[in-house]
Amino acid sequence: MDKARLFQDEIVGARVYAHEIADEPWWRREKVPLVCLLCTTPVVSQRAPVGRARRNALFRLAAGRTHEDVCPLNPTEVQQKIARGSQGVAVISGDELHLLLPGDLTEIDIPTGVDDSAGAGGHVGVDIATVRPLLPPLINSAVVIARFLQKHDFDPAVVARFKVRRPGKNTAAVAWSEFCHGPSPEDQARLYTRLTTGPNPAHPVALYGRLTSISNDSRHTPVLRLADANGFTVRIRSDHPSLLAPLTVGDYVLAVGPWKVWTPNRGRPELQMFAEEHWQLTHWTYDDTTGHSGPPACPPPLSLAQRTLRQVRTAAAAPKPAPGPTNTTASPPSSTSAAPRPLPTTFHPAPVPAAAPTPPPLLPTATPPTPVTPTPPSAPPMPAPAMPELPPAPAVPPQPTVPPQPTSPPPPRTRRSWWPFGRRR
């Protein structure tokens, strides 16, 4: 914790701050008892270590003591609260809370309705509440954890009680810093190095920081700057200005999404994230003096028109697949399939009626066809004229060659012995 209160004669006194510890204040020299900022549990002051890993001075619970149940700084109560409202994405293992991370940002679903603000009359319900509009359980749990650790000034002993489980076969719990990078510039630099040297994270990552400035790019779109780290700048961008408009300078932000490193032609490299959904940006206020944390909030969800515009832009930017080599030769064109089949080159039409083409399907095929007009027995049939032999048909004739039909002999002419208008003279 970074704040505590004096406790003299069973009376809770003035507020004291962790940054005063290094100057050896009077209450430290006189060993005045201290209690938690939000309950009456005894705490002790600890100076920053010398020659070790960087750590600020802070207040910790006295040996063998725990926060009161109604205290918002009680890790056990907060862990139980998060697990009950997480829909299974946060589980308790011993004295630790494990947050189950998905493999991709698209696996984070919007809940139909979750409200963990039960007991709003107490400190827990007021200081740590569900973000409105409702966030996915994973994002809401991460926001509650980040705001809780902020109240403890990211005390390493408290941070160690929160861990994450990465997707895949290796489900062993790892440190909270594998998912959330912040608040110090060293944490953000670790994410920058992780993205530039690889391999990239196989799960969504979050970055916690404070908004320092808001500017406009060349397209007059707002750009949020979180920090200027050693050699790069942390910025948040979006194609939808409505996602960035609610944020103001001084807000604390938990940004979850696909982070990447962009190196412009001029200027410093940029650790950036493009926000596409409202639940990727959760912001709140925090007063370092009083320790009061404002209610968390997030931008309004995208409208139907914005989502349609995003789909159109995505479809236009997506590369179109080139046609395969088999698309033009897999099936012949319709004109070729509809062309008549050429006759064999060795076919010659027969000069006699016996070689006539096959009669229509309605006639029986077991007996030879009979001529349509019978030949009288008194007159011999006239032979059919001999057809000249056709030359061999070309390989692809322009028109089909139809064999000639056999001709029937004309009927015999009979002599009439009478005339309708009298005897013929």
Side-chain angles (χ1 to χ4, degrees):
M1 298 179 293
D2 60 341
K3 284 171 282 294
R5 287 182 180 273
L6 301 178
F7 191 73
Q8 294 176 306
D9 300 330
E10 300 296 326
I11 299 175
V12 178
R15 184 183 294 113
V16 294
Y17 301 95
H19 62 79
E20 302 175 3
I21 300 177
D23 298 332
E24 200 66 26
W26 67 271
W27 47 265
R28 181 179 173 88
R29 293 193 303 268
E30 297 180 9
K31 298 182 180 180
V32 177
L34 304 173
V35 294
C36 172
L37 178 65
L38 302 175
C39 66
T40 58
T41 304
V43 298
V44 294
S45 60
Q46 292 187 357
R47 304 184 65 175
V50 179
R52 296 182 181 179
R54 179 182 177 273
R55 191 187 67 191
N56 297 329
L58 48 82
F59 298 102
R60 281 186 173 174
L61 294 176
R65 306 302 295 266
T66 59
H67 290 277
E68 297 178 2
D69 293 343
V70 296
C71 180
L73 301 181
N74 189 338
T76 303
E77 292 296 322
V78 173
Q79 289 173 344
Q80 294 286 346
K81 182 181 181 64
I82 296 174
R84 287 194 301 267
S86 67
Q87 298 186 5
V89 299
V91 296
I92 295 179
S93 177
D95 61 346
E96 299 176 350
L97 181 71
H98 297 173
L99 193 63
L100 309 181
L101 301 180
D104 190 76
L105 202 67
T106 58
E107 300 179 17
I108 301 177
D109 298 328
I110 302 296
T112 56
V114 179
D115 190 359
D116 64 354
S117 59
H123 294 286
V124 177
V126 173
D127 294 339
I128 302 176
T130 302
V131 184
R132 300 290 180 175
L134 292 178
L135 296 179
L138 174 70
I139 304 300
N140 186 74
S141 301
V143 171
V144 175
I145 295 174
R147 299 177 69 235
F148 177 74
L149 296 179
Q150 183 185 44
K151 293 179 179 294
H152 281 273
D153 198 25
F154 289 87
D155 183 356
V158 181
V159 175
R161 301 190 60 168
F162 297 91
K163 296 184 178 181
V164 296
R165 295 182 186 177
R166 294 170 293 187
K169 297 181 180 180
N170 186 10
T171 59
V174 295
W176 171 255
S177 58
E178 288 292 319
F179 166 69
C180 183
H181 300 265
S184 64
E186 288 78 7
D187 298 330
Q188 301 167 357
R190 184 165 48 85
L191 177 60
Y192 180 86
T193 305
R194 188 176 183 181
L195 296 177
T196 53
T197 60
N200 292 343
H203 54 80
V205 296
L207 192 143
Y208 164 83
R210 192 174 189 180
L211 185 58
T212 58
S213 67
I214 301 177
S215 59
N216 293 329
D217 58 7
S218 59
R219 299 180 301 172
H220 304 286
T221 303
V223 180
L224 310 181
R225 181 168 63 89
L226 295 183
D228 284 327
N230 185 14
F232 64 94
T233 303
V234 182
R235 286 190 172 95
I236 300 176
R237 302 175 181 268
S238 178
D239 293 330
H240 309 285
S242 62
L243 297 180
L244 308 180
L247 284 79
T248 58
V249 176
D251 289 349
Y252 287 88
V253 183
L254 183 71
V256 182
W259 290 87
K260 65 178 182 179
V261 176
W262 175 62
T263 304
N265 297 331
R266 296 181 180 179
R268 307 171 65 186
E270 186 173 307
L271 178 62
Q272 64 175 213
M273 186 197 79
F274 270 83
E276 297 183 355
E277 297 290 347
H278 72 283
W279 45 262
Q280 293 183 253
L281 298 174
T282 309
H283 57 96
W284 64 91
T285 59
Y286 181 74
D287 191 343
D288 296 333
T289 303
T290 61
H292 176 71
S293 180
C298 62
L302 296 180
S303 63
L304 179 60
Q306 290 176 315
R307 293 187 180 277
T308 303
L309 179 60
R310 184 179 64 181
Q311 294 176 359
V312 172
R313 289 178 176 177
T314 303
K320 298 181 179 180
T326 59
N327 291 346
T328 56
T329 59
S331 59
S334 58
S335 59
T336 305
S337 59
R341 182 177 298 177
L343 297 176
T345 55
T346 58
F347 172 79
H348 300 282
V352 294
T358 307
L362 296 178
L363 298 178
T365 57
T367 59
T370 57
V372 177
T373 305
T375 304
S378 60
M382 297 182 64
M387 297 295 295
E389 186 172 333
L390 297 177
V396 182
Q399 296 294 336
T401 303
V402 180
Q405 300 293 332
T407 58
S408 302
R413 185 176 182 181
T414 58
R415 185 181 180 86
R416 293 180 178 179
S417 58
W418 57 274
W419 191 250
F421 304 101
R423 181 181 295 272
R424 186 178 181 185
R425 298 180 182 277

